[in-house]
Amino acid sequence: MDSEQIRERFLRFFERHHHTRIEGASIVPRSDPTLLFVNSGMAPLKRYFTGESTPPATDLCNVQGCIRTKDIDDVGDRHHITFFEMLGSWSIGGYFKRRAVELAWELLTVDLELDPARLYVTVFAGDSGLGLPPDEESAAAWERVGVPRERIVALPAEDNFWGPAGDSGPCGPSTEVFLDTGDTFGPAYVPGGPFDTSRRYIEIWNAGVFMQFDKGLDGVLRPLPFHSVDTGSGLERLQLALNGLDSVYDTDLLAPVVTAVQDALGEPGGVQHHHRVIGDHMRAAVAILAEGVRPGNEGRGYIPRRLIRTSMTLALTRGHERFRPEPIVAAAVARMAAHYPHWAARRGDIAAAAARECEEFQGTVRRGLDHLDEVLDRYDEIPGEEAFRLFATHGLPVEITGEIAAARGVLVDRAGFDTALERHRALSRGAAAEPGTARRTRPDDVLPTALSGTPRTAFLGYDALEAEGRVLALLSGGVPVERAGEGAEVDLVTDRSPFYAEGGGQVGDRGSATAAGGQAEVTDTVAHESGRFLHRARVSAGELRRGDTVHLAVDAGARAMTAANHTATHLLNAALREVLGEHVRQAGSLVEPARLRFDLTHPRPVTRQELARIERLVNAWVLADAPRTVESMAPSDAVAAGAISLPGEEYADEVRVLSFDGFSKELCGGTHVEHTAQIGSFRIVTEQSVAAGVRRIVAVTRERAVELTLDQSAVLAEATAVLRTAPQDLVPAIERLARHARTGTPDSGAAALGRRWDAGVGGVDVTLAEAAGAAAGLRKEAQRLSGDEGRLAVLWLTGGARTNIVASVPERHRERIGAARLLSRITERFGGAGGGNPRIAQGALPAAPDPGVLRDVVAEALGDGAE
Ligand code: SER
């Protein structure tokens, strides 16, 4: 049975049994921060099981592309792959165990024609730790459809309790169907003995996860509001089983990709383990790159990086230095495009991204090899620590180190390498297994019990930028760990901190945390709702441990910018009320080092004149250098004293009232400058609408304000240079250009008039003007001036070695002077040559004419009378 037939038989079976076929989702989860990639058919449907969203029908089925990296080291064996397609069916709050078992049995034995005698099933054996009994109901359902008791195997939670997908969500006991692939793959199962699920018995159908629980981030299982069934079967494995294949790599889904790998490496003949791994990894990388994810060191991007680099390492160690990924990408795309048309549509981008990653890695390896040379000179056997250092600091995979060393007759202590790697992993265990993937504790997460009894974090940052604190907890993926090693990403909780935790529109502080044994960078600080600060930290050297005393240092430069922006926000708020009126209310604000953003209620755009008045007023207050005063008082007293408070905000018993002389008084917990001159300068960048009746102002202070002013001056200077005009003439020149653009004249090669002199000379309207653009445009513009506006025009282009000049005369003045005649008067005076007819004449002067002299020449010419 080919994969297409299996796909269709599966979906038709469930449709026949009243399931609605739905689309598969993107492998990049849309709104699930706990998952890097969709790892099962149910992952995109999580919210249906919790009741947060309503499914389109109770019973559903589909095919879902999935990425699983949990077993990545097993890839290349009989049935592990990284990208796979999962055939799935669901009953959301509908039928339960008995019906699920009946459907599974009918599907496998009737529609897919599997021999019932080769099928084994597993059921959940119960778990006293979780307080859950054995799943007798499923066992009974299997017996009812005809599975003999001795082929029903009860297994513990680690095998038969599935989920959640990610850190939290729906999960429950499961029942799975295995196919006996025969004696070649190991001994038969004897009841009570071990059940070999890696070689002989292959799981082909997770016939039902019985979704009963919602696992919280605290690890606690809470009952779901209703029960559901979630089933899934890997298409590739099912095909292996149905066709009696040796491995999933022999299926029509993977075989063409594996063949492409053999072709690319020039290794025909028997398929080897590394052909399978490269085929799998490149196909999975294609699936990820097709979603627009690009290789990188963090988060999602780390997965395609690892897949491609592992493939490259396998190729390089076999001497394929010129390994190119393109043909393998092409094979994967060609095979899958019928079901994933976007792979084909983005084929070029995918191949280019894969090739780029390969080249980058080759560069890394080349540089790593230089270090390896030095190491090779020193040892007969490279110690594990050295091999690990080459890997960790120079990106050189140990396989490559081993190959190169072997060629020089040097060994590598692989066991020592593994130990060093394991030690490194243990140090950062629990933290991101892969950089950037660490799940952060959110402000509303339930905190681990390890933190109960610890105090709120005392904030010292109004007065200090550096302080000592004690590490109360290191949370890695929300779980407390005793220590965090280099590279680990943890949320650091301390008893006291000078770091401002995000709040009131002001972003959290960044900086560093240094203990005796290590150091971490803090990239952000947020407050948990319990009042404890979560310092988002990444260990950059050594290790941090719970109980350590750490020196916490806020990035003073960033904080100074933030403080200036925060105080400027208050001054802006006051200035808006003064200029626009008391109706102005703050509708949101964001204060960060680079800029401030302020949303205000106001029924119409703020005009340019109003914005200028606001900027002047705020800058006047900055120059007044008003000192900050802070008072604590009851909220009602603060409001009575005229402090601005935010509608809808709840305030504590005591509030902080912040004033700057007579002009600003607000309730605020943020950090501010000590006196307003520290703001330096205040400039508004943009003013625009964000919603009906709400305007948004973005502004900058200090160095940023200076830079903005300089940038704007530079643009002005450039524009005047391009249009060859003075700043005060720029707007008219642009208006003329815009008019031309609208009316379509002059066309390409348009002449943009720069400096221009309009005068009446002897009753004739005369225009003398410099222009930018091409000579053809000059002619057209002169004709337009004479034709449309009845003006005698003399225009010239400057900037070249010679000056092109055009004269044109409107019809009614041609009796007094023709254009050719006028031009010859001009060349007589200024030098150069030219010619034409009475209507228009064109020539070149050695240099730009002086407009005053030119005007005299024109006046004289007109005085001359008719030609
Ligand atoms: N979610 C279950 C699994 O992935 C059933 O689809 O195995």
Side-chain angles (χ1 to χ4, degrees):
M1 226 183 272
D2 70 27
S3 59
E4 289 312 309
Q5 285 168 310
I6 301 172
R7 236 183 249 274
E8 273 316 301
R9 280 198 197 185
F10 173 89
L11 292 168
R12 292 231 183 94
F13 171 84
F14 280 103
E15 284 179 319
R16 200 167 77 229
H17 289 97
H18 316 296
H19 289 62
T20 301
R21 191 195 285 213
I22 56 172
E23 290 292 302
S26 158
I27 54 170
V28 174
R30 246 183 253 128
S31 53
D32 187 346
T34 72
L35 263 187
L36 278 191
F37 290 103
V38 165
N39 63 351
S40 58
M42 65 76 69
L45 314 179
K46 265 182 169 181
R47 296 164 73 87
Y48 294 156
F49 300 105
T50 55
E52 287 163 274
S53 326
T54 312
T58 304
D59 299 336
L60 306 171
C61 61
N62 80 359
V63 180
Q64 172 68 51
C66 300
I67 292 279
R68 269 191 202 180
T69 51
K70 197 164 63 74
D71 305 317
I72 204 159
D73 293 334
D74 294 328
V75 165
D77 69 357
R78 285 194 84 188
H79 54 78
H80 280 99
I81 46 181
T82 310
F83 170 79
F84 65 97
E85 293 182 275
M86 188 169 249
L87 306 168
S89 70
W90 297 276
S91 183
I92 298 163
Y95 61 79
F96 208 44
K97 295 181 179 176
R98 183 166 162 181
R99 180 73 185 137
V101 165
E102 284 167 7
L103 287 171
W105 194 249
E106 185 184 332
L107 169 69
L108 294 171
T109 58
V110 181
D111 288 63
L112 297 178
E113 302 165 27
L114 277 165
D115 175 4
R118 292 175 61 206
L119 299 178
Y120 283 67
V121 300
T122 61
V123 294
F124 178 52
D127 188 296
S128 52
L130 295 173
L132 299 176
D135 184 2
E136 301 289 359
E137 197 183 333
S138 296
W142 286 117
E143 277 191 290
R144 202 172 301 114
V145 296
V147 180
R149 189 83 219 188
E150 64 273 15
R151 279 197 267 125
I152 302 174
V153 187
L155 293 178
E158 63 183 44
D159 298 297
N160 275 57
F161 189 95
W162 196 91
D167 295 339
S168 63
C171 53
S174 66
T175 182
E176 301 176 1
V177 184
F178 286 74
L179 182 79
D180 181 358
T181 62
D183 293 337
T184 351
F185 296 101
Y189 167 72
V190 185
F195 185 61
D196 160 28
T197 59
S198 64
R199 295 193 66 231
R200 174 158 183 159
Y201 299 98
I202 301 233
E203 181 201 333
I204 53 171
W205 182 233
N206 190 345
V209 178
F210 300 116
M211 297 293 188
Q212 286 167 267
F213 304 103
D214 190 2
K215 184 173 180 179
L217 288 162
D218 52 3
V220 176
L221 298 179
R222 297 180 180 81
L224 282 166
F226 48 82
H227 291 176
S228 298
V229 177
D230 155 40
T231 82
S233 174
L235 174 58
E236 299 82 354
R237 271 195 204 186
L238 193 57
Q239 198 183 354
L240 171 170
L242 290 172
N243 295 345
L245 303 174
D246 217 37
S247 85
V248 287
Y249 297 94
D250 301 328
T251 61
D252 62 60
L253 293 161
L254 276 149
V257 185
V258 173
T259 305
V261 174
Q262 291 187 277
D263 291 346
L265 299 184
E267 293 176 353
V271 171
Q272 301 175 47
H273 185 265
H274 67 276
H275 299 147
R276 290 174 168 185
V277 177
I278 297 176
D280 166 83
H281 283 17
M282 292 307 297
R283 187 174 83 133
V286 167
I288 296 171
L289 298 175
E291 302 302 317
V293 175
R294 288 293 169 261
N297 279 334
E298 306 234 309
R300 265 184 201 118
Y302 183 71
I303 304 298
R305 167 152 291 174
R306 178 166 170 195
L307 292 167
I308 294 173
R309 292 190 172 198
T310 304
S311 303
M312 283 281 294
T313 303
L314 288 169
L316 290 175
T317 51
R318 279 162 187 80
H320 302 287
E321 268 157 40
R322 287 186 219 295
F323 175 80
R324 299 291 310 179
E326 289 91 335
I328 306 169
V329 170
V333 170
R335 179 59 192 89
M336 304 303 286
H339 295 287
Y340 301 90
H342 66 290
W343 292 21
R346 298 182 189 155
R347 176 185 311 160
D349 288 347
I350 298 171
R356 244 191 335 272
E357 180 62 13
C358 286
E359 280 152 26
E360 209 173 292
F361 183 59
Q362 266 159 339
T364 303
V365 169
R366 262 196 304 277
R367 286 187 295 279
L369 291 182
D370 292 342
H371 295 277
L372 177 57
D373 270 341
E374 293 162 25
V375 173
L376 282 170
D377 290 341
R378 293 210 304 272
Y379 301 101
D380 295 330
E381 176 173 327
I382 301 178
E385 279 295 340
E386 276 294 352
F388 177 71
R389 204 178 54 80
L390 284 167
F391 166 65
T393 44
H394 302 296
L396 199 63
V398 70
E399 294 82 1
I400 292 183
T401 302
E403 288 291 323
I404 311 270
R408 299 260 294 260
V410 175
L411 292 174
V412 174
D413 174 9
R414 281 299 292 263
F417 173 85
D418 291 342
T419 313
L421 181 66
E422 192 38 52
R423 187 161 53 240
H424 174 78
R425 286 202 177 134
L427 284 179
S428 41
R429 177 138 316 138
E434 287 141 3
T437 57
R439 196 193 148 272
R440 296 302 196 171
T441 303
R442 286 187 289 254
D444 58 352
D445 278 350
V446 177
L447 286 182
T449 43
L451 271 164
S452 31
T454 60
R456 300 166 61 91
T457 307
F459 178 54
L460 313 173
Y462 289 131
D463 310 306
L465 289 179
E466 299 194 13
E468 309 284 313
R470 203 163 56 80
V471 179
L472 302 178
L474 296 160
L475 298 175
S476 166
V479 179
V481 290
E482 282 301 306
R483 53 180 64 189
E486 193 175 320
E489 298 185 354
V490 287
D491 295 320
L492 185 69
V493 181
T494 52
D495 55 349
R496 337 173 319 135
S497 175
F499 282 69
Y500 181 80
E502 178 187 341
Q506 180 178 331
V507 298
D509 275 331
R510 52 189 199 221
S512 63
T514 311
Q519 186 167 24
E521 280 162 48
V522 176
T523 52
D524 194 7
T525 311
V526 301
H528 184 265
E529 60 187 18
S530 66
R532 294 173 181 95
F533 289 6
L534 302 164
H535 302 84
R536 308 303 201 197
R538 182 182 172 85
V539 180
S540 50
E543 65 169 24
L544 296 189
R545 299 163 181 243
R546 190 168 69 86
D548 273 352
T549 297
V550 281
H551 182 79
L552 296 160
V554 174
D555 178 335
R559 168 69 91 75
M561 291 296 291
T562 307
N565 286 340
H566 204 156
T567 304
T569 303
H570 286 207
L571 301 186
L572 172 63
N573 194 358
L576 285 165
R577 285 168 180 244
E578 193 154 325
V579 172
L580 302 179
E582 289 292 318
H583 64 277
V584 168
R585 289 280 172 277
Q586 176 171 345
S589 88
L590 172 72
V591 177
E592 53 186 16
R595 65 199 184 124
L596 65 96
R597 198 177 77 198
F598 190 87
D599 293 346
L600 59 136
T601 56
H602 187 56
R604 41 175 198 282
V606 187
T607 64
R608 252 185 295 149
Q609 292 74 14
E610 287 166 336
L611 288 173
R613 280 179 61 201
I614 292 163
E615 273 189 313
R616 281 202 189 93
L617 193 52
V618 171
N619 281 301
W621 288 334
V622 170
L623 287 172
D625 198 16
R628 170 185 81 193
T629 42
V630 182
E631 296 161 275
S632 281
M633 55 179 90
S636 51
D637 295 341
V639 174
I644 299 179
S645 63
L646 283 181
E649 282 283 284
E650 282 183 27
Y651 292 100
D653 300 344
E654 284 272 286
V655 292
R656 206 168 166 260
V657 178
L658 193 88
S659 336
F660 290 92
D661 262 4
F663 33 82
S664 159
K665 189 174 242 184
E666 290 194 35
L667 300 192
C668 183
T671 60
H672 286 265
V673 298
E674 280 169 37
H675 44 97
T676 57
Q678 288 170 316
I679 294 170
S681 173
F682 170 85
R683 292 295 317 275
I684 291 175
V685 185
T686 54
E687 188 278 342
Q688 67 192 83
S689 161
V690 275
V694 182
R695 313 292 307 177
R696 168 167 295 175
I697 289 179
V698 173
V700 290
T701 62
R702 288 174 63 108
E703 294 87 339
R704 296 261 177 175
V706 175
E707 287 307 320
L708 177 72
T709 305
L710 289 174
D711 285 349
Q712 289 174 342
S713 304
V715 170
L716 186 64
E718 200 174 325
T720 54
V722 168
L723 294 182
R724 300 168 201 283
T725 184
Q728 63 274 19
D729 298 327
L730 187 61
V731 173
I734 291 172
E735 279 169 355
R736 274 194 295 280
L737 275 179
R739 201 166 51 237
H740 294 160
R742 273 198 305 278
T743 57
T745 52
D747 57 9
S748 61
L753 293 196
R755 279 196 294 172
R756 163 175 174 157
W757 298 263
D758 287 333
V761 179
V764 178
D765 290 330
V766 172
T767 293
L768 310 177
E770 286 179 353
L778 197 66
R779 222 176 137 86
K780 281 204 171 137
E781 179 62 8
Q783 276 169 325
R784 194 192 64 75
L785 283 166
S786 298
D788 296 352
E789 298 181 25
R791 308 185 73 83
L792 183 154
V794 181
L795 312 181
W796 63 97
L797 280 180
T798 51
R802 300 177 320 151
T803 300
N804 281 307
I805 185 160
V806 171
S808 84
V809 180
E811 193 167 13
R812 65 192 145 101
H813 299 304
R814 281 183 206 145
E815 289 193 1
R816 285 173 76 178
I817 181 98
R821 195 64 202 290
L822 175 62
L823 186 68
S824 66
R825 289 296 180 86
I826 294 171
T827 52
E828 271 165 35
R829 177 66 63 88
F830 294 101
N837 54 43
R839 191 167 55 82
I840 189 149
Q842 189 163 0
L845 309 182
D850 178 280
V853 178
L854 184 61
R855 187 181 175 282
D856 292 341
V857 175
V858 173
E860 278 166 27
L862 284 171
D864 269 4
E867 266 177 285

